[in-house]
Amino acid sequence: MKETNGQHLISLFEHWAPKSLAVDGDTVGLQIGTLNKTITKVLVTLDVNLDTVEEAIKNGCELIIAHHPPIYRGMKNMRTDLPQGILIEKLIKNDIAVYAAHTNLDIATGGVNDLLANALQLENIEILEQTNSEQLMKLAVFTPKESTNVVRAALDIAGAGQIGEYQSCSFTSAGEGRFKPSDLANPYIGQANELEVVEEDKIEVVFPVSIKNKVLKALLTNHPYEEPAYDLILLESEVNKKGLGRIGKLPKKLILAEYAEVVKKQLNVPFVRVVGDLTQEVQKVAVLGGDGNKYIQTAKRAGADVFITGDLYFHVAQDAEAIGLSVIDPGHHVEQIMKHGVAEYMTEVCIQNNLLVEFISSKISTDPFQLI
Ligand SMILES: [Zn+2]
């Protein structure tokens, strides 16, 4: 096991929840301090407040990973006699960096919404509102027969040829290649100014556009020709679909009142607010962590019987009632599920990478509401 620095640690985190997944206008990434230092302990929290900063200090954490960005609305000053300035001053004086993973962590596979969907006992989980996807590319390359296996293997290692749950997918067909090298060429096969006919294979593979450079590098490094011939075509098919919220089915139908009890227990909250007929049966469930007021119609269109989301406004609740969509509001604080989820995921990643870093899930509730 070896020590690591903040940049390396966050690059591993962003492999899971890249900043590019965040919705437009969101504030994600490093917000306070620097990642250019050794990190041995990380506190994972939903919110950064004076209590969680104190917890980070007590535990000797050099980094906080938070879901809610502490700097969110445009900061106009940094006065150390006002709450936000006091918080930032305390973090800087104690050399604690803060990294925010907000909507990118909501959207990431295995992120906040998947954690909630799993806790809510959903099966056949799908994305509620797609926000991101990648186009596929197709590479067709012509290789002399003796090099086909080497080139195909290099493309495979670079990540090309993955289709759904199938890896190393490719198609190879045989044919004849013709070329005439010029005086200035340095041909692998053939002589200057003589037409050459070579038995060649055509290898075809697909890959997401994000790994284009890696695939091309693998091709050009492993192909024996001075000027390999290849076609690169952008396809209409999309892969790596990601999005906000999840929708799935309960293993069996439940009465809404019964399911509200399940939600309370599973999300560990003392109460929920419910919109809809408490005696109706529900099975298809949509969930969106945090504030899902904008997604009432999306949940209805997706066929949800009930939508689980927080911060429900009075008039949005009336709208939901009017369109016949039941809603269970367990509060915004249920997103605290990310504390354990992120700590567990990153602990596993660090073990795999032989890194000596401890992830601590904050024990402090940052829910401002009390039930009396
Ligand atoms: Zn939130």
Side-chain angles (χ1 to χ4, degrees):
M1 300 289 255
K2 54 182 193 282
E3 280 193 337
T4 189
N5 65 22
Q7 282 106 341
H8 185 213
L9 200 61
I10 290 301
S11 74
L12 294 171
F13 178 82
E14 289 184 355
H15 188 71
W16 173 35
K19 284 188 284 195
S20 58
L21 285 184
V23 300
D24 284 348
D26 195 9
T27 318
V28 295
L30 180 68
Q31 290 211 311
I32 297 163
T34 177
L35 294 173
N36 190 18
K37 59 178 181 177
T38 301
I39 303 285
T40 60
K41 282 187 183 177
V42 181
L43 182 76
V44 184
T45 178
L46 178 60
D47 300 281
V48 184
N49 62 19
L50 286 174
D51 292 336
T52 50
V53 174
E54 203 55 58
E55 189 183 20
I57 295 167
K58 268 197 200 124
N59 284 288
C61 300
E62 302 93 347
L63 174 67
I64 292 176
I65 295 181
H67 185 45
H68 291 141
I71 302 175
Y72 194 61
R73 300 170 192 96
M75 231 177 117
K76 296 278 192 299
N77 54 46
M78 220 213 76
R79 286 176 47 174
T80 54
D81 57 348
L82 291 176
Q84 194 177 30
I86 292 169
L87 189 72
I88 295 171
E89 183 189 26
K90 189 162 183 165
L91 285 158
I92 289 175
K93 279 187 173 167
N94 287 281
D95 196 15
I96 297 171
V98 178
Y99 179 92
H102 192 210
T103 50
N104 51 328
L105 187 63
D106 287 325
I107 290 169
T109 305
V112 179
N113 284 303
D114 275 323
L115 290 165
L116 288 169
N118 288 328
L120 293 168
Q121 304 179 337
L122 304 191
E123 296 176 348
N124 305 321
I125 298 166
E126 291 174 15
I127 290 164
L128 181 62
E129 170 99 341
Q130 190 184 312
T131 53
N132 302 70
S133 69
E134 271 193 78
Q135 267 182 284
L136 268 186
M137 292 201 100
K138 179 179 235 187
L139 170 73
V141 56
F142 304 87
T143 58
K145 269 205 174 309
E146 69 272 18
S147 302
T148 302
N149 285 342
V150 171
V151 173
R152 196 166 38 213
L155 296 173
D156 185 17
I157 291 166
Q162 178 149 1
I163 301 177
E165 293 304 314
Y166 296 82
Q167 289 184 334
S168 309
C169 306
S170 66
F171 186 83
T172 307
S173 46
E176 280 180 352
R178 283 177 174 71
F179 51 85
K180 189 196 285 183
S182 80
D183 285 335
L184 297 176
N186 181 22
Y188 171 70
I189 300 172
Q191 306 289 329
N193 298 313
E194 280 182 28
L195 183 67
E196 196 64 42
V197 181
V198 180
E199 275 190 53
E200 290 185 341
D201 285 325
K202 179 184 185 186
I203 308 167
E204 295 174 73
V205 283
V206 294
F207 52 87
V209 72
S210 60
I211 62 165
K212 177 182 151 189
N213 291 344
K214 199 173 165 197
V215 171
L216 279 183
K217 191 175 173 201
L219 163 66
L220 298 173
T221 312
N222 289 280
H223 198 292
Y225 284 1
E226 190 176 17
E227 300 285 356
Y230 61 90
D231 307 331
L232 207 49
I233 304 158
L234 196 57
L235 305 179
E236 296 217 344
S237 333
E238 290 179 329
V239 283
N240 295 340
K241 291 179 184 170
K242 309 263 190 234
L244 275 170
R246 299 292 183 264
I247 185 159
K249 272 186 147 183
L250 296 171
K252 62 181 175 81
K253 285 183 180 170
L254 286 179
I255 303 298
L256 180 59
E258 283 172 0
Y259 189 54
E261 290 296 336
V262 172
V263 173
K264 265 167 69 175
K265 183 165 167 280
Q266 289 298 109
L267 300 183
N268 193 24
V269 288
F271 74 100
V272 292
R273 298 189 299 163
V274 185
V275 177
D277 177 358
L278 289 172
T279 64
Q280 68 167 304
E281 285 186 328
V282 294
Q283 188 165 27
K284 200 159 185 188
V285 180
V287 57
L288 196 145
D291 169 358
N293 281 286
K294 281 192 291 188
Y295 297 93
I296 293 285
Q297 293 290 351
T298 312
K300 180 68 184 171
R301 274 199 302 273
D305 301 319
V306 58
F307 183 35
I308 322 279
T309 196
D311 287 348
L312 194 66
Y313 302 143
F314 179 82
H315 289 299
V316 176
Q318 288 178 324
D319 292 345
E321 198 172 38
I323 61 171
L325 175 71
S326 295
V327 184
I328 300 175
D329 179 351
H332 197 131
H333 190 251
V334 294
E335 287 186 309
Q336 69 162 330
I337 200 166
M338 58 71 66
K339 296 192 288 194
H340 188 65
V342 170
E344 196 173 51
Y345 180 93
M346 286 306 292
T347 299
E348 184 58 37
V349 167
C350 285
I351 289 169
Q352 281 168 14
N353 286 274
N354 214 23
L355 301 179
L356 198 60
V357 186
E358 188 185 344
F359 286 83
I360 298 163
S361 164
S362 170
K363 292 177 181 55
I364 290 166
S365 166
T366 52
D367 194 349
F369 296 110
Q370 297 171 70
L371 187 64
I372 57 168

